[in-house]
Amino acid sequence: QVQLQESGPGLVKPSQTLSLTCAVSGGSITTNGYYWSWIRQPPGKGLEWIGYIAYDGISYYSPSLKSRTSISRDTSANQFSLQLTSVTPEDTAVYYCASGTPVACNIYWGQGTQVTVSS
């Protein structure tokens, strides 16, 4: 059973960079066919997919966030990370990491971490 755990600062100032890490256990982030995603949910809104990094290290981002987003990985630590630059209060959300395959999309989720953008 794959388990994911998000970590990172809960408060970020406007214009700064939001950085989160997802630690993975019970499976390897290089397992063939798996995709490792970041998803967020702003207050009172639905889920928004941010992007993913695949088992082979290739990343793909939501077009609406692509210019500010970077997803990377540390295979030795079995974790992957999100960086979102130039944040505004509109980036305030609960951020989740998730994983799955094209057939079983995002079947594993972390518990989520609240990030607030405020001065």
Side-chain angles (χ1 to χ4, degrees):
Q1 178 80 3
V2 175
Q3 295 183 320
L4 303 99
Q5 178 66 58
E6 306 90 348
S7 63
L11 180 63
V12 183
K13 295 185 185 305
S15 80
Q16 293 188 341
T17 296
L18 180 160
S19 297
L20 297 173
T21 295
C22 182
V24 178
S25 59
S28 171
I29 62 172
T30 60
T31 299
N32 190 28
Y34 273 77
Y35 293 77
W36 307 88
S37 297
W38 286 99
I39 298 162
R40 68 182 184 180
Q41 185 168 28
K45 298 184 179 181
L47 294 170
E48 178 182 22
W49 177 75
I50 299 170
Y52 69 69
I53 185 163
Y55 60 96
D56 57 3
I58 295 175
S59 298
Y60 187 79
Y61 307 121
S62 167
S64 64
L65 295 170
K66 182 178 181 180
S67 64
R68 300 194 291 128
T69 306
S70 177
I71 298 175
S72 60
R73 67 179 185 172
D74 182 342
T75 56
S76 63
N78 206 39
Q79 61 187 30
F80 62 106
S81 299
L82 168 70
Q83 288 199 317
L84 184 66
T85 63
S86 304
V87 297
T88 73
E90 286 66 44
D91 293 309
T92 294
V94 178
Y95 284 75
Y96 299 92
C97 56
S99 179
T101 67
V103 173
C105 184
N106 292 330
I107 58 171
Y108 304 111
W109 288 71
Q111 64 183 22
T113 186
Q114 172 70 46
V115 178
T116 300
V117 179
S118 175
S119 56

